[in-house]
Amino acid sequence: MGRAQPSESEEGPSGIMQSAAQPQMRAAVVVRYGSADVVHITDVARPTPRKDEVLVRVIAAAVTSADARIRAARFPKGFAPFARLIFGIRRPRRTVLGSCVSGVIEAVGANVTAFKPGDEVCGMTGIKMGAHAEFVAVSAARIVRKPSEVTHDQAAGVLFGGTTALFFLRDKASVGPGMSVLVNGASGAIGTNAVQLAKHFGATVTAVTSSANADLVTSLGADRLIDYNTVGLDGVTERFDVVLDTVGNMTIPAGRRLLTERGVLLLAVATPPETLRARGHVKAGTSPERATDFEFLLQLVADGALTVVLDQAVPLHDIADAHRRVDSGRKKGNIVVNP
Ligand SMILES: NC(=O)c1ccc[n+]([C@@H]2O[C@H](COP(=O)([O-])OP(=O)(O)OC[C@H]3O[C@@H](n4cnc5c(N)ncnc54)[C@H](OP(=O)(O)O)[C@@H]3O)[C@@H](O)[C@H]2O)c1
C-alpha cells in the first residue's frame, strides 16, 4: 500500500497523460511482472475521458485468465516475444489491468451523445485495460447499457468468457440445432459460457471436466460429462461436430481424432505453429470485443437463459487473492472485484 505522487505529465493508468492537479483514485497497480504479490493497491491520478470516451465509476471488474497471464508474463508457448512487444518488454506497459467492467457513468467526453452521467453501463476496455480501479476511461463504442435485471457482478463476469465462447461457437463453427459439441475445460470462464451457449443454440453438449465440477457443469445443461482424471481425452471414443478446447492441452491431431467427417476443431489456446496450421476445419484466433455481442449476452442473462458463474466477488483490496485463485487453475467461471 502507498500513495503514488504523480508528477506533472505522468502517464495515468489508462495511458492518459495526467497533471498533478487531477483527483486521485484507488487502483490495483502492477509495475513489474511477477506473482500475485506484485499487485498493490495504491492511489493514482483519476483518468480524464477523451472526447470519444466516458469515465465509468467501477462497481465490478473481472479478474480474468488474461489479467493473470499479463501480470505474470505467462504467455502461451511461443507467443512471449510478440506478447511482450504488445504488453511491455521489461514491465507491464499498462500498470492497471482489467478489461471487463460494469459501473455507472461519471462523466462523458465532448463527442459522446449516446450516454450521460448516471447511466449504468458495462463493456470491455481492450488492450487499454484499466478496470481494476475506482474509475476507468473507456471508448463509448466499447460500452453498452446494462439491463436492470443484470447485476454489475454478472455483467462484468459474463463478458470475457461469453464473448470468447460466442466467437468460437457461433462465428467460427455455426453451432446450431442437432449438432454435437464437446467442450474441453467446461468449468472455466469460457467453458461455463460455452456449455450454455451451445445448448442455447440447440446442440447436444459433452463436457470435459473434473468430478469436483460435475454438479456445476450438469446444472449448466451439459448432457454428458467426461472426467478428465479418469477417462481423459484419449479414452473418448465418440465423434463430435464441434470440439472446443479452452484448456490448451489438446494437440491438433488429438482434436481431429474426435471430429466427425465435417467436424470443426476450435482452439481457444494455440501455439504460434498451431495458429499457422489452423485453417479449414481447424480454427484459432483472438475473440473480438463487440458491443453487439455484449448486448446479446446481457439479454440472455436478463432473460435467465445464461447463468453467470461467479467463483468469487471480492473487494478491490483483496485483488491479489483473486489473482492467486486464477493462477491456481481451479477457478470456477468468473471472479470479480468491487472497488
Ligand atoms: N482465443 C481467445 O480469444 C481467448 C480469449 C480468452 C481466453 N483465452 C484463453 O483460454 C484459456 C481459458 O481461459 P478461461 O478464462 O476460461 O480459463 P479459467 O477460467 O482460468 O479456467 C479454469 C478452469 O479450467 C479447468 N481445467 C483446468 N485443467 C483442466 C483440464 N485438463 N481439463 C478440463 N478442465 C480443466 C478448471 O477446472 P478443474 O478445477 O475441474 O480442473 C477450472 O475450472 C486461457 O488460456 C486463456 O488465455 C483465449
Side-chain angles (χ1 to χ4, degrees), residues 69 184-185 233 244-251 267-271 274:
R69 273 194 187 286
N184 185 38
L233 293 169
L244 169 61
D245 177 25
T246 78
V247 178
N249 62 350
M250 193 184 280
T251 62
L267 302 174
V269 189
T271 61
E274 285 171 338

Side-chain angles (χ1 to χ4, degrees), residues 45-334:
R46 187 192 291 190
T48 304
R50 296 177 186 190
K51 56 185 191 308
D52 294 317
E53 291 182 335
V54 301
L55 182 68
V56 175
R57 181 163 56 82
V58 180
I59 308 285
V63 181
T64 68
S65 53
D67 295 318
R69 273 194 187 286
I70 296 167
R71 186 217 72 231
R74 188 179 55 232
F75 302 112
K77 202 174 159 198
F79 272 114
F82 180 63
R84 279 185 185 251
L85 278 178
I86 297 172
F87 296 111
I89 292 172
R90 295 167 65 93
R91 63 184 72 88
R93 184 166 287 134
R94 301 294 184 191
T95 54
V96 179
L97 305 178
S99 60
C100 302
V101 62
S102 186
V104 179
I105 292 189
E106 185 79 4
V108 299
N111 291 353
V112 177
T113 54
F115 300 100
K116 61 181 187 318
D119 287 348
E120 296 197 314
V121 295
C122 59
M124 296 180 79
T125 62
I127 201 170
K128 206 177 149 191
M129 294 179 282
H132 294 166
E134 287 180 302
F135 295 91
V136 60
V138 53
S139 164
R142 290 177 159 274
I143 57 164
V144 298
R145 274 171 216 287
K146 181 188 73 63
S148 58
E149 303 91 334
V150 180
T151 68
H152 287 288
D153 285 0
Q154 289 173 320
V158 76
L159 295 176
F160 180 78
T163 52
T164 309
L166 202 54
F167 168 68
F168 280 106
L169 295 178
R170 182 195 61 190
D171 302 349
K172 294 277 187 186
S174 304
V175 169
M179 292 171 76
S180 58
V181 175
L182 179 134
V183 178
N184 185 38
S187 57
I190 302 174
T192 51
N193 285 287
V195 168
Q196 297 180 84
L197 288 171
K199 288 297 294 180
H200 177 75
F201 294 138
T204 302
V205 175
T206 299
V208 182
T209 187
S210 67
S211 55
N213 287 315
D215 289 347
L216 167 69
V217 173
T218 301
S219 76
L220 300 176
D223 300 284
R224 254 201 78 216
L225 302 183
I226 293 170
D227 182 344
Y228 69 80
N229 286 312
T230 55
V231 179
L233 293 169
D234 293 345
V236 179
T237 52
E238 295 94 323
R239 299 291 177 265
F240 301 89
D241 298 315
V242 175
V243 171
L244 169 61
D245 177 25
T246 78
V247 178
N249 62 350
M250 193 184 280
T251 62
I252 290 179
R256 275 212 175 105
R257 188 188 67 75
L258 298 169
L259 296 178
T260 55
E261 200 179 329
R262 300 175 67 84
V264 177
L265 173 62
L266 304 169
L267 302 174
V269 189
T271 61
E274 285 171 338
T275 304
L276 288 174
R277 287 170 61 201
R279 60 177 84 94
H281 293 295
V282 181
K283 322 247 183 192
T286 303
S287 67
E289 300 179 359
R290 290 182 291 229
T292 49
D293 290 348
F294 306 164
E295 284 166 340
F296 178 84
L297 293 163
L298 290 161
Q299 194 56 53
L300 288 181
V301 178
D303 292 345
L306 181 63
T307 298
V308 185
V309 177
L310 286 178
D311 184 293
Q312 300 175 356
V314 298
L316 180 66
H317 60 74
D318 288 336
I319 191 169
D321 291 337
H323 274 265
R324 281 183 202 100
R325 177 68 174 155
V326 180
D327 287 349
S328 76
R330 301 279 81 83
K331 171 167 72 71
K332 299 174 202 283
N334 312 278

